[in-house]
Amino acid sequence: MLTYNQINETTDYQTYGKAGIIMKKSGNFGKFMLLWSGELVSSIGGGLTSFGLGVYVFNQTGSAASMALITLLGFLPTFVFSIPAGVLADRYDRRLLMMIGDGFSAFGILYILISMYLGNVATWQIGIGVFFSSTFQALLEPAYRATVTDLLTKEEYSRASGLVSIAGSSRYLISPLIAGLLLSISDVKLLMIIDICTFFLTLASTAVVRKGIEKKSSDTDESVLNSLKNGWGAIKGNKGILVLVLVSSAITIFMGVFQILAEPLVLSFSDSKTLGITETICASGMLVSSVFLGIRGIKKHYVFVLTASLALAGLFIFAFGWKDNIILLCIFGFGFFVMLPFANNCLDYLVRTNIPDELQGRAWGFIGFISQIGYIISFGCSGILSDFIGNTFGIGVGRGAAIVIQISGVLLLLISLVILKLKSVKKLEQTAA
């Protein structure tokens, strides 16, 4: 009789739970594409709301810290609930969890929209709405990540990772351009209405995929505590994975700094329409590399590609804060976003291929929790730090943001050099092969 590892090595089948149910994994790329299409639409809609609310809050308060606070409130539930969401993804129907998360998250946006129609909405009301919406969105990430593993073979992971990067980048590539243009003829309420409409398309695509997948047997007799222990054990038991997860947390600090402070940097000497165009041009770098990865993928030298992409990303971030010039910002921002899919693809492959399929959901829950600690740090500190530097030295919030961005670029470059020397990370690539 074949063992679990032998089955995975010799066929395109996946074993689930104590019942030993085996589900065929080959021929599911079409289902993945349908699911991915729904997430693409959802990402674009979410990007419209995120961009619109960011501009609205900055125009109302003139503070980078206020923008960062709203972003933090929208992100915090995803961070807090990522681990229990991962456990749920391994115990219950992953596609159903995605549908629940998408559907109920729309009510948070609806609350903000109604509040705006009733009068001038306060910052705390926006905070409540994004916090509620993000709470249900927390169900999505581990279930979505694990579903990719459910559907695809190991050979398809790299292509899928490139496409997932495209969907994720759409909120920075497509959404800002659309949002900037719409804000020139309307206001943020229109953006939120469009966002709410996208939820219906996402729900429909997930429901279709759910019908076409055999349900896995869940080990619901396993205690939640044991599920958590097993998920953490899959990470802790492999030093290379643990190192990459910690590195990922550091990377998200600098990603968060860039995400938060690029907007007040541009808005300090330009308008929302220019900001939307700038963000779209910058994020198109992610589209270029994501398309390349979706077609070709990465075949080998994952650790080297990871190191090189992070080092170049650090250099581009540093250059981004050099001067208040839209052309230069677009060039360096474009280069930064070109590097991200390469780094994400390598991180995803090295981690995914070293975790057993039946532990994917809860493992990704822990991975999401640890890696996203960086966002908590950046969202909580970057806006305050840029306001402090700008006010203390009398250079304004925009230049204060630029200095913080440059510091993060230098630190990212240093981290990339450390990764190249770690034997535990190199071992992951040898194991995956």
Side-chain angles (χ1 to χ4, degrees), residues 289-357:
S289 52
S290 294
V291 169
F292 171 82
L293 291 171
I295 297 173
R296 297 287 300 274
I298 299 175
K299 307 299 181 182
K300 55 184 178 179
H301 305 309
Y302 289 92
V303 176
F304 174 78
V305 174
L306 172 63
T307 303
S309 59
L310 291 179
L312 289 172
L315 290 174
F316 283 124
I317 290 180
F318 178 82
F320 186 87
W322 177 36
K323 192 175 182 180
D324 292 345
N325 182 288
I326 290 297
I327 295 177
L328 292 178
L329 291 179
C330 290
I331 292 173
F332 296 130
F334 178 89
F336 170 69
F337 278 103
V338 164
M339 294 299 109
L340 289 184
F342 286 97
N344 289 334
N345 190 295
C346 294
L347 283 169
D348 184 271
Y349 180 85
L350 291 172
V351 172
R352 187 183 297 278
T353 53
N354 283 274
I355 295 177
D357 284 356

Side-chain angles (χ1 to χ4, degrees), residues 2-15 22:
L2 291 175
T3 64
Y4 170 82
N5 287 332
Q6 288 173 323
I7 289 174
N8 269 323
E9 291 170 359
T10 58
T11 71
D12 292 331
Y13 289 79
Q14 179 177 14
T15 303
I22 300 176

Side-chain angles (χ1 to χ4, degrees), residues 144-165:
Y144 180 54
R145 291 272 188 174
T147 295
V148 173
T149 306
D150 288 347
L151 291 171
L152 304 179
T153 64
K154 182 184 293 188
E155 292 74 20
E156 294 171 322
Y157 287 166
S158 184
R159 285 180 61 202
S161 180
L163 291 170
V164 170
S165 294

